[in-house]
Protein backbone atom coordinates (compact mmCIF):
# COMPACT_ATOMS: atom_id res chain seq x y z
CA UNK A 1 0.00 0.00 0.00
CA UNK A 2 2.84 2.45 0.90
CA UNK A 3 4.61 1.72 -2.41
CA UNK A 4 1.43 2.41 -4.39
CA UNK A 5 0.86 5.68 -2.51
CA UNK A 6 4.49 6.71 -3.11
CA UNK A 7 4.20 5.98 -6.83
CA UNK A 8 0.95 7.95 -7.07
CA UNK A 9 2.50 10.96 -5.29
CA UNK A 10 5.58 10.78 -7.50
CA UNK A 11 3.53 10.81 -10.72
CA UNK A 12 1.35 13.67 -9.44
CA UNK A 13 4.38 15.75 -8.40
CA UNK A 14 6.09 15.18 -11.76
CA UNK A 15 2.95 16.19 -13.68
CA UNK A 16 2.36 19.35 -11.66
CA UNK A 17 6.04 20.41 -11.81
CA UNK A 18 6.17 19.79 -15.56
CA UNK A 19 3.12 21.99 -16.15
CA UNK A 20 4.46 24.77 -13.96
CA UNK A 21 7.89 24.95 -15.61
CA UNK A 22 6.30 24.95 -19.07
CA UNK A 23 4.02 27.88 -18.32
CA UNK A 24 6.82 29.91 -16.69
CA UNK A 25 9.21 29.40 -19.59
CA UNK A 26 6.62 30.33 -22.19
CA UNK A 27 5.75 33.58 -20.41
CA UNK A 28 9.44 34.50 -20.09
CA UNK A 29 10.00 33.75 -23.77
CA UNK A 30 7.07 35.96 -24.75
CA UNK A 31 8.26 38.89 -22.63
CA UNK A 32 11.91 38.73 -23.70
CA UNK A 33 11.58 40.05 -27.22
CA UNK A 34 9.42 41.91 -29.65
CA UNK A 35 6.40 40.18 -31.13
CA UNK A 36 5.71 40.36 -34.85
CA UNK A 37 2.76 41.91 -36.61
CA UNK A 38 0.88 40.41 -39.55
CA UNK A 39 3.48 41.85 -41.96
CA UNK A 40 6.28 40.07 -40.09
CA UNK A 41 7.76 43.28 -38.66
CA UNK A 42 8.87 43.26 -35.02
CA UNK A 43 6.50 45.36 -32.91
CA UNK A 44 8.72 47.56 -30.75
CA UNK A 45 7.72 49.85 -27.91
CA UNK A 46 9.74 52.05 -25.60
CA UNK A 47 9.69 49.20 -23.07
CA UNK A 48 11.04 46.58 -25.51
CA UNK A 49 13.44 48.85 -27.42
CA UNK A 50 16.54 47.98 -25.36
CA UNK A 51 15.92 44.26 -25.74
CA UNK A 52 15.45 44.62 -29.50
CA UNK A 53 18.64 46.68 -29.91
CA UNK A 54 20.60 44.12 -27.86
CA UNK A 55 19.16 41.31 -30.02
CA UNK A 56 20.22 43.12 -33.19
CA UNK A 57 23.74 43.69 -31.89
CA UNK A 58 24.09 40.10 -30.66
CA UNK A 59 22.83 38.60 -33.92
CA UNK A 60 24.88 40.95 -36.09
CA UNK A 61 21.79 41.30 -38.25
CA UNK A 62 22.06 43.86 -41.01
CA UNK A 63 18.93 44.86 -42.89
CA UNK A 64 19.26 44.31 -46.65
CA UNK A 65 19.74 47.46 -48.76
CA UNK A 66 16.55 49.46 -49.16
CA UNK A 67 15.36 52.69 -50.66
CA UNK A 68 15.45 54.21 -47.15
CA UNK A 69 18.56 56.38 -46.70
CA UNK A 70 19.39 56.09 -43.00
CA UNK A 71 22.48 58.30 -43.22
CA UNK A 72 20.53 61.11 -44.89
CA UNK A 73 17.79 60.73 -42.28
CA UNK A 74 20.24 61.08 -39.39
CA UNK A 75 21.87 64.12 -41.04
CA UNK A 76 18.44 65.75 -41.47
CA UNK A 77 17.88 65.20 -37.74
CA UNK A 78 21.22 66.83 -36.92
CA UNK A 79 23.00 63.61 -35.92
CA UNK A 80 26.58 63.04 -37.08
CA UNK A 81 26.96 59.41 -35.88
CA UNK A 82 27.42 56.44 -38.16
CA UNK A 83 24.52 54.03 -38.59
CA UNK A 84 25.60 50.74 -37.00
CA UNK A 85 22.46 48.66 -37.50
CA UNK A 86 18.99 49.37 -38.81
CA UNK A 87 15.79 47.37 -38.85
CA UNK A 88 12.32 48.00 -40.19
CA UNK A 89 9.88 47.80 -37.27
CA UNK A 90 6.28 48.48 -36.29
CA UNK A 91 6.37 51.14 -33.54
CA UNK A 92 4.13 50.99 -30.46
CA UNK A 93 0.54 49.83 -30.14
CA UNK A 94 -0.43 51.72 -33.30
CA UNK A 95 2.16 49.61 -35.21
CA UNK A 96 3.38 52.61 -37.17
CA UNK A 97 5.72 51.46 -39.96
CA UNK A 98 9.12 52.77 -38.88
CA UNK A 99 12.86 52.29 -38.95
CA UNK A 100 14.92 51.58 -35.84
CA UNK A 101 18.34 53.17 -36.35
CA UNK A 102 21.13 52.20 -33.97
CA UNK A 103 23.94 54.72 -34.28
CA UNK A 104 27.04 55.86 -32.47
CA UNK A 105 30.64 56.97 -32.79
CA UNK A 106 32.05 53.41 -32.77
CA UNK A 107 31.90 50.62 -35.33
CA UNK A 108 29.67 47.55 -35.02
CA UNK A 109 32.51 45.13 -34.20
CA UNK A 110 33.79 47.30 -31.33
CA UNK A 111 30.26 47.53 -29.96
CA UNK A 112 29.79 43.76 -30.14
CA UNK A 113 33.15 43.09 -28.49
CA UNK A 114 33.10 45.72 -25.74
CA UNK A 115 29.49 46.82 -25.33
CA UNK A 116 28.74 50.41 -24.45
CA UNK A 117 26.14 53.09 -24.94
CA UNK A 118 24.63 53.68 -28.36
CA UNK A 119 21.92 55.97 -29.61
CA UNK A 120 18.67 54.52 -30.89
CA UNK A 121 16.28 56.52 -33.02
CA UNK A 122 12.91 55.38 -34.35
CA UNK A 123 11.79 57.31 -37.44
CA UNK A 124 9.05 57.19 -40.05
CA UNK A 125 10.03 56.03 -43.56
CA UNK A 126 9.67 59.62 -44.86
CA UNK A 127 12.67 60.83 -42.82
CA UNK A 128 15.48 62.51 -44.72
CA UNK A 129 15.93 64.95 -47.57
CA UNK A 130 12.92 63.54 -49.43
CA UNK A 131 10.68 65.04 -46.74
CA UNK A 132 8.84 67.83 -48.48
CA UNK A 133 8.07 71.06 -46.73
CA UNK A 134 8.15 70.61 -43.01
CA UNK A 135 10.34 69.94 -40.09
CA UNK A 136 12.34 66.70 -40.56
CA UNK A 137 12.18 66.13 -36.79
CA UNK A 138 8.46 65.39 -37.18
CA UNK A 139 9.58 62.04 -38.63
CA UNK A 140 11.28 61.13 -35.33
CA UNK A 141 9.07 58.92 -33.15
CA UNK A 142 11.57 58.18 -30.37
CA UNK A 143 15.20 58.92 -29.61
CA UNK A 144 17.45 58.00 -26.71
CA UNK A 145 20.42 55.97 -25.52
CA UNK A 146 20.64 52.24 -24.94
CA UNK A 147 23.26 50.35 -22.91
CA UNK A 148 24.57 47.30 -24.75
CA UNK A 149 26.49 44.44 -23.16
CA UNK A 150 29.38 42.73 -24.89
CA UNK A 151 28.89 39.28 -26.38
Amino acid sequence: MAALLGLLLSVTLEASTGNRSHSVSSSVDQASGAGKNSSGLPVVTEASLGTEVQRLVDSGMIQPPTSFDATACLRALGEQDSVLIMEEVAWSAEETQSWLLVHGPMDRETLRANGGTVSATVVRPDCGPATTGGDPTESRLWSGEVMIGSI
Side-chain angles (χ1 to χ4, degrees), residues 43-53 90-93 120 122 141-146:
V43 178
V44 180
T45 64
E46 193 170 336
S48 66
L49 188 78
T51 303
E52 184 67 8
V53 170
W91 177 250
S92 74
V122 179
L141 299 172
W142 190 89
S143 183
E145 292 186 335
V146 178

Side-chain angles (χ1 to χ4, degrees), residues 62-104:
I62 301 172
Q63 191 84 25
T66 67
S67 59
F68 179 73
D69 189 345
T71 303
C73 175
L74 283 181
R75 299 297 174 264
L77 295 172
E79 298 285 344
Q80 299 304 314
D81 292 339
S82 301
V83 177
L84 303 174
I85 300 174
M86 59 187 267
E87 178 185 37
E88 190 171 10
V89 298
W91 177 250
S92 74
E94 293 81 32
E95 296 187 12
T96 305
Q97 182 181 358
S98 312
W99 284 93
L100 167 58
L101 307 176
V102 179
H103 51 100

